[in-house]
Amino acid sequence: MSEGKIVEYIDQREIVLSVCLKDRASKLRLLTLSNHEVSISPKRALFISSTILDISRSREELLKELKVVERRRTDCMKKVPVKDLWELTHEENEGFTYKYLAHLSFGKNVTDDHVSALVRALFADSLYFKMRDDYFLPNSPDKVAQIRKARDAAELREREINEGADFLKEVINDRYRGGPPVKEKAIEILVQLALYGKDAPDFKLGKEMFSRAGIKDIGLARHLLVKLDIWREDESLDLHRLKIRTDFSERVLKEAEMVMGKEMDPSGREDLTGLSIFTIDGPFTRDFDDALSLQPIDGGYRLGVHITDLAPCIQVEGYLDKEASSRASSIYLPVNQIPMFPPSLSNNALSLVEGFQRLAISLFADFDGDWNLKDYRFMPSVVRIERQLTYDQVNTVYADEPTFSALYQLSQALRRRRVANGALLIPLPEIHFEFDDNSEVRIRLIEQDTPAKIIVSECMILYNWLAARFASETALPILYRGQEPLQERLLSDESNYIYYVFRQRRKLQPLLIDTMPQPHSGLGVDVYTNATSPLRRYMDLLVQRQIHSALLKKRPVYEESRLEELNLLIQQTLRDIDLMKRNQIRYWILKYLAGRINDRFNAIVFQKLKSKYSIILPDFLFVADLPAVSGPELSPGEQIRVDVKRSDPWDDVLILELAR
């Protein structure tokens, strides 16, 4: 019988001291030190002392006695040498009774208080011993190390949560004044939550941090980062998600300096510095990689297309080359540009800048008086740009200046032949964003089908077509660009042109990049590649290196298998870049519309969906959703008006209503 005996049991990972009031074999009725009566199974009893208290006394007297016992055992517990006990016993690989370990701790004469203290100490420590029924089993050294590591991690996590929560409270309440050390872990968590939400690697840690700070919405992470001046209000999250670098490492910049200091070697190149060569680009372009020339010849013209030659300058597998391959392309975003090469090269040393001699791979294509291609050849050259022109300047003078008038006639003839071969011409304006000092955005559409842009476009298409033909005819391994025929060719509708173009573009087959020559149906050519923008696209640099080696009668830089490997890497990066560019354009359109709440815009019904319409906002070439409402059903192609009710670029929300 246990009545009157002191019973200790575990409840919620704590040892509870009590006295047994009744023993009914299957249940022990206990009075705890906290003045509660509980019933437990005898199996739950951790340690039952031999000492018996007089339970006939008043409850107050029993509780007073329990407090005395608790104090004795607590004091005694502090004297248990837990680590020393483990050092003495862990190599024996067996379990030890409470009493045996109490003897090791306190000597020959041990009391119930000593045994209880031993049990309490080892249970509380839990590092060195594991409790099993009525004995303790020493943990192995590896297990001790594992537990200690887990404890350290738990303590660190708890400290990070508390410090992070305090930090967030300061930020929310405008009490944070910065200064070292910045709460680095909390900042890291904020970035994770802003970028990935519930998919953040440390989501649980961040959620607990927010909870202790009294913040319910983890969506506030982005606001807090802006508040801390770590991010700008219009930070591109894709730049972080896709880990796209906006700067260059020291070793890349050092190699760029070496390229800048390297003396140009003109040997083996045709000197074209006496030729009138010019560039045609946008007003803000600084990375000039293509230029043109046009000379009258007997009964016709000789077109020159000159592309800056990077092959002698950018070492294969060097730091610059590896950096360019990882970037795959220069990135042109509404608010900034991220070059593939350091600006010291792309905007200066390797750019076709007016007045400076540069290395180039030049194409001369000879045409007769009817603009039929008679002959062509590629050559390594040295060029000097005579004029740096903008599209607007050429558009102004092309009809009156003989060179540009002839170039426009040539480009028109080249375009007609491509169309006759099945090319699809469905140009749309380019959306252009302009910003003032307060990040207020203005949007305008820039026409692409102008004489100057047609000239440049057709000359670049010609260069790429003939480069691909040169490679295929000489069995030179390169990357070819192709496109299978249209799924369906729609009837052109000039009266509703944008609607027609959006529908027709959905019928296009995807572009293909491969080492095998193939037709490009969209351009109307039998074979095609990219070689005209080596400063801006890594694929163009690969192709240029191959052509450069062939022209100099050298072994190709790349075998076909290596090109296939590089292509896989390039294409994935380009897909990421394309996604980021589309997201950025969408962000800034939504930001623009956020300042136009209740304004009315033209729209075109694109298609009817289950409970909504897909519509086109022609002012922005933007596809949006419009909820279906009661009334007459809208028809695809129908011109309507819509009102902006809500636009939130951060949450990617646009709510439109049909204007009545």
Side-chain angles (χ1 to χ4, degrees):
M1 297 291 289
S2 297
E3 290 181 359
K5 291 185 177 181
I6 296 174
V7 178
E8 291 180 283
Y9 67 95
I10 298 173
D11 185 46
Q12 297 183 352
R13 300 191 60 79
E14 296 286 342
I15 293 180
V16 180
L17 184 74
S18 65
V19 60
C20 182
L21 301 178
K22 284 187 180 181
D23 183 349
R24 294 181 177 175
S26 63
K27 288 289 182 183
L28 299 178
R29 187 69 179 170
L30 308 175
L31 173 65
T32 69
L33 186 62
S34 59
N35 196 19
H36 290 100
E37 288 192 28
V38 298
S39 293
I40 69 167
S41 166
K43 293 181 180 180
R44 284 189 61 193
L46 178 64
F47 177 59
I48 300 178
S49 302
S50 58
T51 305
I52 297 178
L53 302 183
D54 182 3
I55 57 176
S56 64
R57 289 183 295 171
S58 68
R59 177 169 291 202
E60 289 77 10
E61 290 176 308
L62 284 174
L63 291 173
K64 185 176 180 181
E65 182 64 24
L66 285 178
K67 288 179 181 178
V68 172
V69 173
E70 175 71 17
R71 191 178 305 114
R72 284 202 311 267
R73 294 184 176 186
T74 301
D75 291 342
C76 199
M77 171 185 166
K78 299 173 184 176
K79 300 175 183 177
V80 177
V82 178
K83 186 177 180 181
D84 292 343
L85 288 177
W86 179 77
E87 294 283 359
L88 288 171
T89 60
H90 79 270
E91 292 181 352
E92 298 183 29
N93 195 27
E94 61 177 286
F96 300 93
T97 64
Y98 303 163
K99 198 163 188 177
Y100 176 80
L101 293 173
H103 279 299
L104 289 180
S105 298
F106 298 104
K108 184 177 180 180
N109 299 317
V110 296
T111 64
D112 288 343
D113 291 339
H114 290 129
V115 176
S116 170
L118 180 281
V119 172
R120 290 174 178 226
L122 269 59
F123 177 80
D125 177 82
S126 73
L127 174 62
Y128 295 104
F129 290 88
K130 181 188 301 180
M131 182 178 283
R132 286 279 180 85
D133 298 328
D134 57 351
Y135 64 91
F136 281 101
L137 182 68
N139 288 320
S140 68
D142 286 345
K143 186 65 175 178
V144 169
Q146 181 182 343
I147 295 172
R148 183 178 283 119
K149 184 177 180 181
R151 283 186 178 180
D152 291 344
E155 289 174 4
L156 175 62
R157 184 180 188 277
E158 187 67 15
R159 186 168 65 252
E160 287 175 342
I161 290 174
N162 288 330
E163 290 180 355
D166 291 341
F167 170 65
L168 293 179
K169 288 177 187 175
E170 290 179 1
V171 176
I172 285 287
N173 296 317
D174 295 318
R175 294 200 304 268
Y176 181 68
R177 295 293 178 265
V182 174
K183 305 297 188 294
E184 293 182 3
K185 185 63 179 182
I187 299 296
E188 179 187 332
I189 295 294
L190 286 175
V191 170
Q192 284 189 25
L193 294 178
L195 294 177
Y196 308 111
K198 292 182 179 179
D199 294 326
D202 291 320
F203 172 72
K204 290 183 179 179
L205 178 62
K207 187 177 180 182
E208 181 63 24
M209 196 181 290
F210 270 53
S211 176
R212 294 191 193 181
I215 306 171
K216 295 181 180 179
D217 182 11
I218 63 169
L220 286 174
R222 182 172 180 175
H223 294 266
L224 295 175
L225 289 167
V226 172
K227 195 170 186 178
L228 287 164
D229 288 329
I230 292 171
W231 281 0
R232 294 172 289 106
E233 180 182 348
D234 301 308
E235 191 86 9
S236 172
L237 303 195
D238 285 328
L239 279 175
H240 298 282
R241 291 191 187 107
L242 300 174
K243 296 179 172 55
I244 293 175
R245 295 183 299 277
T246 57
D247 56 0
F248 293 89
S249 67
E250 283 297 320
R251 60 189 185 184
V252 170
L253 294 174
K254 186 174 181 179
E255 189 172 298
E257 288 180 13
M258 294 174 61
V259 171
M260 291 181 66
K262 188 177 179 181
E263 191 172 332
M264 184 179 67
D265 181 9
S267 59
R269 293 177 175 271
E270 190 151 344
D271 186 356
L272 303 180
T273 56
L275 192 62
S276 177
I277 301 176
F278 49 86
T279 63
I280 307 175
D281 285 281
F284 303 109
T285 300
R286 295 295 177 267
D287 48 353
F288 303 104
D289 47 18
D290 58 84
L292 302 175
S293 62
L294 190 68
Q295 304 164 265
I297 57 175
D298 292 340
Y301 286 91
R302 174 169 292 162
L303 171 69
V305 183
H306 314 276
I307 307 300
T308 183
D309 187 2
L310 273 57
C313 308
I314 306 299
Q315 178 185 345
V316 177
E317 295 296 323
Y319 292 128
L320 283 167
D321 186 51
K322 290 179 179 178
E323 183 72 20
S325 68
S326 68
R327 295 182 181 227
S329 171
S330 295
I331 304 173
Y332 299 91
L333 301 174
V335 290
N336 63 326
Q337 298 179 5
I338 305 171
M340 188 172 76
F341 287 109
S344 60
L345 298 182
S346 60
N347 294 359
N348 188 1
L350 301 181
S351 180
L352 300 180
V353 180
E354 181 179 335
F356 291 90
Q357 290 190 13
R358 294 288 187 258
L359 304 182
I361 298 292
S362 295
L363 163 69
F364 279 140
D366 293 345
F367 295 87
D368 64 19
D370 295 322
W371 305 112
N372 297 304
L373 179 64
K374 306 303 291 181
D375 193 17
Y376 74 93
R377 66 188 179 105
F378 289 93
M379 69 191 71
S381 63
V382 179
V383 300
R384 180 169 48 229
I385 306 305
E386 184 178 90
R387 288 189 291 174
Q388 219 109 58
L389 303 170
T390 66
Y391 293 116
D392 287 343
Q393 287 173 324
V394 174
N395 288 333
T396 301
V397 302
Y398 84 95
D400 301 318
E401 192 167 326
T403 296
F404 298 115
S405 177
L407 268 177
Y408 185 55
Q409 292 176 52
L410 168 59
S411 63
Q412 291 286 66
L414 292 172
R415 177 169 286 200
R416 283 194 299 271
R417 289 196 180 92
R418 290 196 303 107
V419 171
N421 290 330
L424 182 66
L425 303 181
I426 46 174
L428 284 173
E430 179 183 289
I431 188 165
H432 181 71
F433 298 88
E434 297 174 346
F435 303 89
D436 61 21
D437 293 338
N438 298 317
S439 290
E440 287 292 324
V441 59
R442 293 181 298 278
I443 298 176
R444 64 188 178 97
L445 298 179
I446 299 178
E447 190 62 46
Q448 297 298 293
D449 217 21
T450 65
K453 293 211 168 183
I454 291 173
I455 289 171
V456 173
S457 174
E458 290 301 326
C459 290
M460 297 308 114
I461 291 173
L462 178 71
Y463 188 103
N464 289 327
W465 168 49
L466 293 178
R469 177 185 279 190
F470 170 80
S472 64
E473 290 175 349
T474 58
L476 177 68
I478 66 166
L479 291 174
Y480 293 94
R481 182 172 172 176
Q483 186 178 44
E484 294 184 357
L486 284 167
Q487 297 175 358
E488 178 186 0
R489 188 178 286 265
L490 304 176
L491 290 175
S492 178
D493 183 1
E494 293 298 326
S495 64
N496 202 351
Y497 179 73
I498 290 178
Y499 174 63
Y500 153 70
V501 171
F502 271 72
R503 289 178 63 225
Q504 185 65 82
R505 287 191 172 186
R506 288 204 167 186
K507 306 291 184 181
L508 293 174
Q509 297 282 11
L511 293 173
L512 302 172
I513 309 292
D514 199 85
T515 54
M516 296 298 294
Q518 54 198 304
H520 194 307
S521 66
L523 293 177
V525 292
D526 58 345
V527 67
Y528 196 71
T529 189
N530 282 125
T532 54
S533 294
L535 281 176
R536 311 178 195 187
R537 290 191 301 248
Y538 192 68
M539 175 180 168
D540 298 50
L541 176 57
L542 296 179
V543 174
Q544 186 183 73
R545 280 173 170 160
Q546 297 293 83
I547 293 175
H548 179 272
S549 62
L551 294 176
L552 297 181
K553 310 298 184 186
K554 293 182 179 180
R555 181 185 179 88
V557 177
Y558 303 104
E559 300 291 338
E560 184 175 325
S561 58
R562 179 55 178 160
L563 288 174
E564 290 171 346
E565 292 172 1
L566 290 167
N567 184 40
L568 288 175
L569 299 174
I570 293 169
Q571 296 313 311
Q572 181 56 58
T573 304
L574 290 177
R575 283 191 288 271
D576 291 342
I577 291 172
D578 185 58
L579 172 65
M580 180 179 67
K581 289 167 71 174
R582 284 187 278 112
N583 287 345
Q584 272 284 283
I585 289 172
R586 181 178 180 84
Y587 176 91
W588 285 105
I589 290 174
L590 293 181
K591 176 125 183 179
Y592 174 82
L593 293 175
R596 304 295 185 275
I597 302 302
N598 293 322
D599 282 6
R600 187 162 292 180
F601 293 91
N602 294 324
I604 304 167
V605 179
F606 190 42
Q607 60 181 336
K608 175 73 168 67
L609 302 173
K610 187 174 181 180
S611 59
K612 60 186 178 182
Y613 295 95
S614 177
I615 65 171
I616 304 166
L617 300 178
D619 291 338
F620 318 109
L621 305 177
F622 184 75
V623 177
D625 291 335
L626 178 69
V629 294
S630 58
E633 187 171 300
L634 302 177
S635 302
E638 184 177 344
Q639 311 264 348
I640 59 173
R641 300 270 283 171
V642 295
D643 296 328
V644 178
K645 291 303 177 184
R646 184 185 171 213
S647 183
D648 187 338
W650 276 25
D651 293 332
D652 193 25
V653 172
L654 176 62
I655 297 177
L656 304 171
E657 284 186 3
L658 182 65
R660 298 298 187 183

